[in-house]
mmCIF file of all heavy atoms in Angstrom:
data_model
loop_
_atom_site.group_PDB
_atom_site.id
_atom_site.type_symbol
_atom_site.label_atom_id
_atom_site.label_comp_id
_atom_site.label_asym_id
_atom_site.label_seq_id
_atom_site.Cartn_x
_atom_site.Cartn_y
_atom_site.Cartn_z
ATOM 1 N N PRO A 1 25.353 5.510 -32.909
ATOM 2 C CA PRO A 1 24.286 4.516 -32.743
ATOM 3 C C PRO A 1 22.967 5.162 -32.335
ATOM 4 O O PRO A 1 22.924 6.279 -31.802
ATOM 5 C CB PRO A 1 24.831 3.619 -31.627
ATOM 6 C CG PRO A 1 25.724 4.518 -30.833
ATOM 7 C CD PRO A 1 26.355 5.447 -31.832
ATOM 8 N N ASN A 2 21.871 4.455 -32.577
ATOM 9 C CA ASN A 2 20.565 4.910 -32.111
ATOM 10 C C ASN A 2 20.448 4.691 -30.607
ATOM 11 O O ASN A 2 21.159 3.871 -30.021
ATOM 12 C CB ASN A 2 19.443 4.163 -32.824
ATOM 13 C CG ASN A 2 19.395 4.488 -34.308
ATOM 14 O OD1 ASN A 2 19.795 5.572 -34.727
ATOM 15 N ND2 ASN A 2 18.906 3.546 -35.097
ATOM 16 N N PHE A 3 19.520 5.412 -30.000
ATOM 17 C CA PHE A 3 19.253 5.267 -28.574
ATOM 18 C C PHE A 3 17.794 4.879 -28.386
ATOM 19 O O PHE A 3 16.890 5.501 -28.958
ATOM 20 C CB PHE A 3 19.537 6.572 -27.830
ATOM 21 C CG PHE A 3 19.159 6.532 -26.372
ATOM 22 C CD1 PHE A 3 20.071 6.112 -25.423
ATOM 23 C CD2 PHE A 3 17.886 6.912 -25.961
ATOM 24 C CE1 PHE A 3 19.721 6.069 -24.074
ATOM 25 C CE2 PHE A 3 17.531 6.871 -24.621
ATOM 26 C CZ PHE A 3 18.450 6.450 -23.678
ATOM 27 N N SER A 4 17.554 3.860 -27.574
ATOM 28 C CA SER A 4 16.190 3.446 -27.268
ATOM 29 C C SER A 4 16.194 2.769 -25.900
ATOM 30 O O SER A 4 16.938 1.814 -25.679
ATOM 31 C CB SER A 4 15.644 2.483 -28.323
ATOM 32 O OG SER A 4 14.338 2.068 -27.998
ATOM 33 N N ASP A 5 15.335 3.303 -24.992
ATOM 34 C CA ASP A 5 15.287 2.716 -23.658
ATOM 35 C C ASP A 5 13.987 3.137 -22.981
ATOM 36 O O ASP A 5 13.279 4.040 -23.440
ATOM 37 C CB ASP A 5 16.485 3.148 -22.824
ATOM 38 C CG ASP A 5 16.872 2.084 -21.788
ATOM 39 O OD1 ASP A 5 16.014 1.228 -21.473
ATOM 40 O OD2 ASP A 5 18.017 2.128 -21.300
ATOM 41 N N ALA A 6 13.677 2.473 -21.887
ATOM 42 C CA ALA A 6 12.471 2.773 -21.115
ATOM 43 C C ALA A 6 12.761 2.565 -19.644
ATOM 44 O O ALA A 6 13.659 1.806 -19.271
ATOM 45 C CB ALA A 6 11.310 1.888 -21.562
ATOM 46 N N GLY A 7 12.009 3.237 -18.807
ATOM 47 C CA GLY A 7 12.175 3.095 -17.373
ATOM 48 C C GLY A 7 10.923 3.537 -16.639
ATOM 49 O O GLY A 7 9.999 4.094 -17.241
ATOM 50 N N SER A 8 10.892 3.298 -15.351
ATOM 51 C CA SER A 8 9.743 3.680 -14.534
ATOM 52 C C SER A 8 10.243 4.358 -13.272
ATOM 53 O O SER A 8 11.398 4.200 -12.865
ATOM 54 C CB SER A 8 8.888 2.456 -14.192
ATOM 55 O OG SER A 8 9.663 1.463 -13.535
ATOM 56 N N ALA A 9 9.342 5.143 -12.637
ATOM 57 C CA ALA A 9 9.751 5.899 -11.456
ATOM 58 C C ALA A 9 8.528 6.344 -10.672
ATOM 59 O O ALA A 9 7.412 6.430 -11.202
ATOM 60 C CB ALA A 9 10.580 7.113 -11.868
ATOM 61 N N PHE A 10 8.753 6.649 -9.395
ATOM 62 C CA PHE A 10 7.740 7.262 -8.553
ATOM 63 C C PHE A 10 7.356 8.613 -9.140
ATOM 64 O O PHE A 10 8.208 9.362 -9.616
ATOM 65 C CB PHE A 10 8.300 7.433 -7.141
ATOM 66 C CG PHE A 10 7.469 8.319 -6.252
ATOM 67 C CD1 PHE A 10 6.300 7.845 -5.673
ATOM 68 C CD2 PHE A 10 7.874 9.627 -5.998
ATOM 69 C CE1 PHE A 10 5.534 8.661 -4.844
ATOM 70 C CE2 PHE A 10 7.126 10.440 -5.173
ATOM 71 C CZ PHE A 10 5.949 9.959 -4.598
ATOM 72 N N ALA A 11 6.055 8.945 -9.143
ATOM 73 C CA ALA A 11 5.579 10.187 -9.743
ATOM 74 C C ALA A 11 4.716 10.971 -8.765
ATOM 75 O O ALA A 11 4.084 10.405 -7.870
ATOM 76 C CB ALA A 11 4.784 9.875 -11.013
ATOM 77 N N TYR A 12 4.698 12.278 -8.951
ATOM 78 C CA TYR A 12 3.866 13.164 -8.139
ATOM 79 C C TYR A 12 3.285 14.264 -9.026
ATOM 80 O O TYR A 12 3.793 14.529 -10.127
ATOM 81 C CB TYR A 12 4.670 13.768 -6.984
ATOM 82 C CG TYR A 12 5.984 14.377 -7.413
ATOM 83 C CD1 TYR A 12 6.078 15.718 -7.793
ATOM 84 C CD2 TYR A 12 7.146 13.602 -7.447
ATOM 85 C CE1 TYR A 12 7.281 16.271 -8.185
ATOM 86 C CE2 TYR A 12 8.359 14.143 -7.832
ATOM 87 C CZ TYR A 12 8.419 15.481 -8.206
ATOM 88 O OH TYR A 12 9.614 16.018 -8.601
ATOM 89 N N GLN A 13 2.221 14.893 -8.544
ATOM 90 C CA GLN A 13 1.518 15.860 -9.375
ATOM 91 C C GLN A 13 0.912 16.974 -8.518
ATOM 92 O O GLN A 13 0.435 16.738 -7.411
ATOM 93 C CB GLN A 13 0.391 15.164 -10.141
ATOM 94 C CG GLN A 13 -0.532 16.090 -10.914
ATOM 95 C CD GLN A 13 -1.559 15.332 -11.735
ATOM 96 O OE1 GLN A 13 -1.374 15.111 -12.920
ATOM 97 N NE2 GLN A 13 -2.650 14.916 -11.104
ATOM 98 N N GLY A 14 0.930 18.184 -9.055
ATOM 99 C CA GLY A 14 0.214 19.310 -8.474
ATOM 100 C C GLY A 14 -0.659 19.923 -9.549
ATOM 101 O O GLY A 14 -0.265 19.966 -10.724
ATOM 102 N N SER A 15 -1.843 20.377 -9.177
ATOM 103 C CA SER A 15 -2.758 20.924 -10.184
ATOM 104 C C SER A 15 -3.575 22.068 -9.606
ATOM 105 O O SER A 15 -3.776 22.172 -8.395
ATOM 106 C CB SER A 15 -3.682 19.833 -10.721
ATOM 107 O OG SER A 15 -4.464 19.270 -9.687
ATOM 108 N N ALA A 16 -4.052 22.930 -10.508
ATOM 109 C CA ALA A 16 -4.913 24.044 -10.139
ATOM 110 C C ALA A 16 -5.760 24.407 -11.346
ATOM 111 O O ALA A 16 -5.341 24.208 -12.491
ATOM 112 C CB ALA A 16 -4.094 25.250 -9.687
ATOM 113 N N GLY A 17 -6.964 24.914 -11.089
ATOM 114 C CA GLY A 17 -7.800 25.288 -12.217
ATOM 115 C C GLY A 17 -9.170 25.765 -11.794
ATOM 116 O O GLY A 17 -9.411 26.098 -10.624
ATOM 117 N N LEU A 18 -10.072 25.784 -12.772
ATOM 118 C CA LEU A 18 -11.446 26.226 -12.567
ATOM 119 C C LEU A 18 -12.405 25.159 -13.072
ATOM 120 O O LEU A 18 -12.171 24.547 -14.123
ATOM 121 C CB LEU A 18 -11.714 27.534 -13.321
ATOM 122 C CG LEU A 18 -10.897 28.760 -12.909
ATOM 123 C CD1 LEU A 18 -11.157 29.902 -13.881
ATOM 124 C CD2 LEU A 18 -11.241 29.181 -11.484
ATOM 125 N N THR A 19 -13.471 24.930 -12.321
ATOM 126 C CA THR A 19 -14.532 24.027 -12.736
ATOM 127 C C THR A 19 -15.769 24.845 -13.102
ATOM 128 O O THR A 19 -16.201 25.708 -12.325
ATOM 129 C CB THR A 19 -14.904 23.041 -11.618
ATOM 130 O OG1 THR A 19 -13.759 22.264 -11.278
ATOM 131 C CG2 THR A 19 -16.020 22.098 -12.076
ATOM 132 N N PHE A 20 -16.323 24.578 -14.291
ATOM 133 C CA PHE A 20 -17.547 25.232 -14.755
ATOM 134 C C PHE A 20 -18.699 24.236 -14.593
ATOM 135 O O PHE A 20 -18.855 23.317 -15.392
ATOM 136 C CB PHE A 20 -17.396 25.657 -16.214
ATOM 137 C CG PHE A 20 -16.320 26.684 -16.432
ATOM 138 C CD1 PHE A 20 -14.984 26.305 -16.542
ATOM 139 C CD2 PHE A 20 -16.636 28.036 -16.507
ATOM 140 C CE1 PHE A 20 -13.987 27.248 -16.734
ATOM 141 C CE2 PHE A 20 -15.640 28.991 -16.699
ATOM 142 C CZ PHE A 20 -14.318 28.599 -16.812
ATOM 143 N N ASN A 21 -19.520 24.425 -13.563
ATOM 144 C CA ASN A 21 -20.635 23.523 -13.274
ATOM 145 C C ASN A 21 -21.887 24.005 -14.018
ATOM 146 O O ASN A 21 -22.748 24.680 -13.449
ATOM 147 C CB ASN A 21 -20.899 23.480 -11.767
ATOM 148 C CG ASN A 21 -19.731 22.885 -11.005
ATOM 149 O OD1 ASN A 21 -19.365 21.737 -11.207
ATOM 150 N ND2 ASN A 21 -19.139 23.680 -10.128
ATOM 151 N N PHE A 22 -21.980 23.667 -15.298
ATOM 152 C CA PHE A 22 -23.098 24.176 -16.080
ATOM 153 C C PHE A 22 -24.337 23.294 -15.968
ATOM 154 O O PHE A 22 -25.390 23.624 -16.516
ATOM 155 C CB PHE A 22 -22.710 24.371 -17.548
ATOM 156 C CG PHE A 22 -22.240 23.135 -18.244
ATOM 157 C CD1 PHE A 22 -23.130 22.293 -18.871
ATOM 158 C CD2 PHE A 22 -20.881 22.820 -18.288
ATOM 159 C CE1 PHE A 22 -22.696 21.156 -19.525
ATOM 160 C CE2 PHE A 22 -20.445 21.687 -18.936
ATOM 161 C CZ PHE A 22 -21.356 20.854 -19.562
ATOM 162 N N ALA A 23 -24.260 22.178 -15.262
ATOM 163 C CA ALA A 23 -25.413 21.334 -14.939
ATOM 164 C C ALA A 23 -25.060 20.528 -13.699
ATOM 165 O O ALA A 23 -23.888 20.413 -13.330
ATOM 166 C CB ALA A 23 -25.758 20.407 -16.109
ATOM 167 N N GLU A 24 -26.080 19.969 -13.036
ATOM 168 C CA GLU A 24 -25.819 19.202 -11.825
ATOM 169 C C GLU A 24 -24.830 18.065 -12.069
ATOM 170 O O GLU A 24 -23.950 17.812 -11.257
ATOM 171 C CB GLU A 24 -27.128 18.629 -11.278
ATOM 172 C CG GLU A 24 -27.950 19.627 -10.487
ATOM 173 C CD GLU A 24 -29.139 18.945 -9.844
ATOM 174 O OE1 GLU A 24 -29.518 17.855 -10.302
ATOM 175 O OE2 GLU A 24 -29.678 19.506 -8.887
ATOM 176 N N ASN A 25 -24.997 17.371 -13.185
ATOM 177 C CA ASN A 25 -24.151 16.197 -13.402
ATOM 178 C C ASN A 25 -23.190 16.343 -14.578
ATOM 179 O O ASN A 25 -22.572 15.371 -14.995
ATOM 180 C CB ASN A 25 -25.010 14.939 -13.590
ATOM 181 C CG ASN A 25 -25.985 15.069 -14.744
ATOM 182 O OD1 ASN A 25 -26.455 16.156 -15.035
ATOM 183 N ND2 ASN A 25 -26.297 13.962 -15.396
ATOM 184 N N TYR A 26 -23.041 17.563 -15.112
ATOM 185 C CA TYR A 26 -22.058 17.820 -16.162
ATOM 186 C C TYR A 26 -21.209 19.023 -15.768
ATOM 187 O O TYR A 26 -21.709 19.993 -15.202
ATOM 188 C CB TYR A 26 -22.728 18.121 -17.502
ATOM 189 C CG TYR A 26 -23.447 16.951 -18.114
ATOM 190 C CD1 TYR A 26 -24.826 16.807 -17.974
ATOM 191 C CD2 TYR A 26 -22.759 15.985 -18.835
ATOM 192 C CE1 TYR A 26 -25.498 15.737 -18.535
ATOM 193 C CE2 TYR A 26 -23.418 14.906 -19.405
ATOM 194 C CZ TYR A 26 -24.792 14.787 -19.243
ATOM 195 O OH TYR A 26 -25.442 13.722 -19.800
ATOM 196 N N ALA A 27 -19.916 18.950 -16.085
ATOM 197 C CA ALA A 27 -19.027 20.070 -15.786
ATOM 198 C C ALA A 27 -17.830 20.041 -16.727
ATOM 199 O O ALA A 27 -17.518 19.010 -17.348
ATOM 200 C CB ALA A 27 -18.552 20.010 -14.336
ATOM 201 N N LEU A 28 -17.156 21.173 -16.831
ATOM 202 C CA LEU A 28 -15.898 21.299 -17.567
ATOM 203 C C LEU A 28 -14.836 21.847 -16.631
ATOM 204 O O LEU A 28 -15.107 22.747 -15.829
ATOM 205 C CB LEU A 28 -16.045 22.239 -18.766
ATOM 206 C CG LEU A 28 -16.816 21.744 -19.975
ATOM 207 C CD1 LEU A 28 -16.906 22.858 -21.022
ATOM 208 C CD2 LEU A 28 -16.144 20.516 -20.588
ATOM 209 N N ASN A 29 -13.627 21.293 -16.728
ATOM 210 C CA ASN A 29 -12.472 21.817 -16.004
ATOM 211 C C ASN A 29 -11.483 22.425 -16.984
ATOM 212 O O ASN A 29 -11.218 21.852 -18.053
ATOM 213 C CB ASN A 29 -11.742 20.702 -15.250
ATOM 214 C CG ASN A 29 -12.374 20.396 -13.912
ATOM 215 O OD1 ASN A 29 -13.281 21.091 -13.478
ATOM 216 N ND2 ASN A 29 -11.902 19.352 -13.265
ATOM 217 N N ILE A 30 -10.923 23.553 -16.615
ATOM 218 C CA ILE A 30 -9.763 24.118 -17.303
ATOM 219 C C ILE A 30 -8.661 24.220 -16.267
ATOM 220 O O ILE A 30 -8.853 24.869 -15.221
ATOM 221 C CB ILE A 30 -10.068 25.493 -17.915
ATOM 222 C CG1 ILE A 30 -11.147 25.373 -18.989
ATOM 223 C CG2 ILE A 30 -8.795 26.115 -18.508
ATOM 224 C CD1 ILE A 30 -11.555 26.687 -19.597
ATOM 225 N N GLY A 31 -7.525 23.567 -16.512
ATOM 226 C CA GLY A 31 -6.528 23.526 -15.456
ATOM 227 C C GLY A 31 -5.097 23.382 -15.925
ATOM 228 O O GLY A 31 -4.817 23.077 -17.087
ATOM 229 N N TYR A 32 -4.204 23.633 -14.983
ATOM 230 C CA TYR A 32 -2.757 23.429 -15.162
ATOM 231 C C TYR A 32 -2.325 22.281 -14.257
ATOM 232 O O TYR A 32 -2.776 22.178 -13.110
ATOM 233 C CB TYR A 32 -1.980 24.689 -14.790
ATOM 234 C CG TYR A 32 -0.503 24.431 -14.564
ATOM 235 C CD1 TYR A 32 0.371 24.305 -15.638
ATOM 236 C CD2 TYR A 32 0.009 24.278 -13.267
ATOM 237 C CE1 TYR A 32 1.720 24.040 -15.432
ATOM 238 C CE2 TYR A 32 1.357 24.018 -13.056
ATOM 239 C CZ TYR A 32 2.206 23.902 -14.140
ATOM 240 O OH TYR A 32 3.535 23.637 -13.942
ATOM 241 N N ARG A 33 -1.460 21.411 -14.782
ATOM 242 C CA ARG A 33 -0.921 20.306 -14.001
ATOM 243 C C ARG A 33 0.597 20.237 -14.181
ATOM 244 O O ARG A 33 1.105 20.440 -15.288
ATOM 245 C CB ARG A 33 -1.521 18.975 -14.442
ATOM 246 C CG ARG A 33 -3.013 18.853 -14.255
ATOM 247 C CD ARG A 33 -3.588 17.711 -15.073
ATOM 248 N NE ARG A 33 -2.932 16.444 -14.760
ATOM 249 C CZ ARG A 33 -2.956 15.388 -15.581
ATOM 250 N NH1 ARG A 33 -3.583 15.441 -16.743
ATOM 251 N NH2 ARG A 33 -2.352 14.276 -15.221
ATOM 252 N N TYR A 34 1.286 19.955 -13.100
ATOM 253 C CA TYR A 34 2.722 19.677 -13.154
ATOM 254 C C TYR A 34 2.941 18.243 -12.707
ATOM 255 O O TYR A 34 2.482 17.834 -11.635
ATOM 256 C CB TYR A 34 3.512 20.621 -12.252
ATOM 257 C CG TYR A 34 4.956 20.193 -12.081
ATOM 258 C CD1 TYR A 34 5.898 20.480 -13.058
ATOM 259 C CD2 TYR A 34 5.355 19.467 -10.957
ATOM 260 C CE1 TYR A 34 7.217 20.069 -12.916
ATOM 261 C CE2 TYR A 34 6.670 19.055 -10.801
ATOM 262 C CZ TYR A 34 7.597 19.362 -11.788
ATOM 263 O OH TYR A 34 8.902 18.940 -11.652
ATOM 264 N N ILE A 35 3.624 17.458 -13.535
ATOM 265 C CA ILE A 35 3.981 16.082 -13.197
ATOM 266 C C ILE A 35 5.502 15.984 -13.120
ATOM 267 O O ILE A 35 6.216 16.453 -14.022
ATOM 268 C CB ILE A 35 3.445 15.081 -14.232
ATOM 269 C CG1 ILE A 35 1.922 15.039 -14.207
ATOM 270 C CG2 ILE A 35 3.994 13.679 -13.968
ATOM 271 C CD1 ILE A 35 1.311 14.084 -15.216
ATOM 272 N N GLY A 36 5.992 15.385 -12.069
ATOM 273 C CA GLY A 36 7.417 15.136 -11.921
ATOM 274 C C GLY A 36 7.659 13.729 -11.411
ATOM 275 O O GLY A 36 6.747 13.074 -10.884
ATOM 276 N N THR A 37 8.877 13.241 -11.568
ATOM 277 C CA THR A 37 9.234 11.906 -11.092
ATOM 278 C C THR A 37 10.567 11.955 -10.356
ATOM 279 O O THR A 37 11.315 12.936 -10.443
ATOM 280 C CB THR A 37 9.360 10.891 -12.241
ATOM 281 O OG1 THR A 37 10.566 11.161 -12.989
ATOM 282 C CG2 THR A 37 8.158 10.937 -13.170
ATOM 283 N N SER A 38 10.848 10.886 -9.665
ATOM 284 C CA SER A 38 12.210 10.682 -9.190
ATOM 285 C C SER A 38 13.092 10.406 -10.413
ATOM 286 O O SER A 38 12.598 10.236 -11.529
ATOM 287 C CB SER A 38 12.257 9.502 -8.210
ATOM 288 O OG SER A 38 11.724 8.333 -8.814
ATOM 289 N N SER A 39 14.410 10.365 -10.218
ATOM 290 C CA SER A 39 15.311 10.133 -11.343
ATOM 291 C C SER A 39 15.030 8.780 -12.002
ATOM 292 O O SER A 39 14.884 7.763 -11.317
ATOM 293 C CB SER A 39 16.766 10.179 -10.867
ATOM 294 O OG SER A 39 17.658 9.998 -11.952
ATOM 295 N N VAL A 40 14.933 8.792 -13.327
ATOM 296 C CA VAL A 40 14.694 7.565 -14.092
ATOM 297 C C VAL A 40 16.053 6.977 -14.467
ATOM 298 O O VAL A 40 16.816 7.603 -15.220
ATOM 299 C CB VAL A 40 13.851 7.843 -15.352
ATOM 300 C CG1 VAL A 40 13.534 6.538 -16.072
ATOM 301 C CG2 VAL A 40 12.568 8.586 -14.991
ATOM 302 N N PHE A 41 16.360 5.798 -13.960
ATOM 303 C CA PHE A 41 17.695 5.218 -14.139
ATOM 304 C C PHE A 41 18.089 5.119 -15.612
ATOM 305 O O PHE A 41 19.246 5.386 -15.973
ATOM 306 C CB PHE A 41 17.743 3.822 -13.503
ATOM 307 C CG PHE A 41 19.064 3.128 -13.673
ATOM 308 C CD1 PHE A 41 20.139 3.460 -12.866
ATOM 309 C CD2 PHE A 41 19.230 2.149 -14.651
ATOM 310 C CE1 PHE A 41 21.366 2.827 -13.024
ATOM 311 C CE2 PHE A 41 20.456 1.516 -14.818
ATOM 312 C CZ PHE A 41 21.529 1.850 -13.996
ATOM 313 N N ALA A 42 17.151 4.758 -16.482
ATOM 314 C CA ALA A 42 17.469 4.557 -17.899
ATOM 315 C C ALA A 42 17.954 5.827 -18.583
ATOM 316 O O ALA A 42 18.685 5.768 -19.571
ATOM 317 C CB ALA A 42 16.236 4.015 -18.638
ATOM 318 N N PHE A 43 17.540 7.008 -18.030
ATOM 319 C CA PHE A 43 17.886 8.273 -18.679
ATOM 320 C C PHE A 43 18.801 9.157 -17.840
ATOM 321 O O PHE A 43 19.231 10.210 -18.296
ATOM 322 C CB PHE A 43 16.610 9.045 -19.019
ATOM 323 C CG PHE A 43 15.572 8.220 -19.707
ATOM 324 C CD1 PHE A 43 14.315 8.055 -19.164
ATOM 325 C CD2 PHE A 43 15.863 7.563 -20.899
ATOM 326 C CE1 PHE A 43 13.352 7.272 -19.793
ATOM 327 C CE2 PHE A 43 14.918 6.781 -21.535
ATOM 328 C CZ PHE A 43 13.659 6.626 -20.987
ATOM 329 N N GLY A 44 19.072 8.740 -16.593
ATOM 330 C CA GLY A 44 19.939 9.533 -15.738
ATOM 331 C C GLY A 44 19.371 10.889 -15.386
ATOM 332 O O GLY A 44 20.116 11.826 -15.074
ATOM 333 N N HIS A 45 18.065 11.033 -15.417
ATOM 334 C CA HIS A 45 17.445 12.345 -15.200
ATOM 335 C C HIS A 45 15.990 12.128 -14.784
ATOM 336 O O HIS A 45 15.377 11.126 -15.140
ATOM 337 C CB HIS A 45 17.499 13.161 -16.498
ATOM 338 C CG HIS A 45 17.419 14.640 -16.300
ATOM 339 N ND1 HIS A 45 16.250 15.289 -15.968
ATOM 340 C CD2 HIS A 45 18.364 15.613 -16.412
ATOM 341 C CE1 HIS A 45 16.484 16.583 -15.886
ATOM 342 N NE2 HIS A 45 17.759 16.815 -16.139
ATOM 343 N N MET A 46 15.430 13.077 -14.038
ATOM 344 C CA MET A 46 14.016 13.017 -13.721
ATOM 345 C C MET A 46 13.184 13.394 -14.950
ATOM 346 O O MET A 46 13.686 14.038 -15.882
ATOM 347 C CB MET A 46 13.678 13.969 -12.568
ATOM 348 C CG MET A 46 13.811 15.437 -12.920
ATOM 349 S SD MET A 46 13.406 16.560 -11.533
ATOM 350 C CE MET A 46 11.681 16.194 -11.269
#
């Protein structure tokens, strides 16, 4: 059979990177982010 399901969970994030401030009100970020969640019941896994 096919599998189709959805679920929701508490989420958290850590990030690091560099900001290029090439003007007072304009900037570019280059960064890494990690997103994780608590276990999602629908999938039995975080």
Side-chain angles (χ1 to χ4, degrees):
N2 294 332
F3 175 90
S4 179
D5 209 340
S8 57
F10 167 77
Y12 50 90
Q13 173 176 263
S15 60
L18 298 172
T19 300
F20 297 82
N21 295 299
F22 59 88
E24 280 187 340
N25 58 328
Y26 292 98
L28 287 177
N29 277 353
I30 297 177
Y32 163 79
R33 298 163 56 200
Y34 169 80
I35 294 179
T37 73
S38 56
S39 182
V40 184
F41 178 79
F43 312 121
H45 203 286
M46 68 180 296

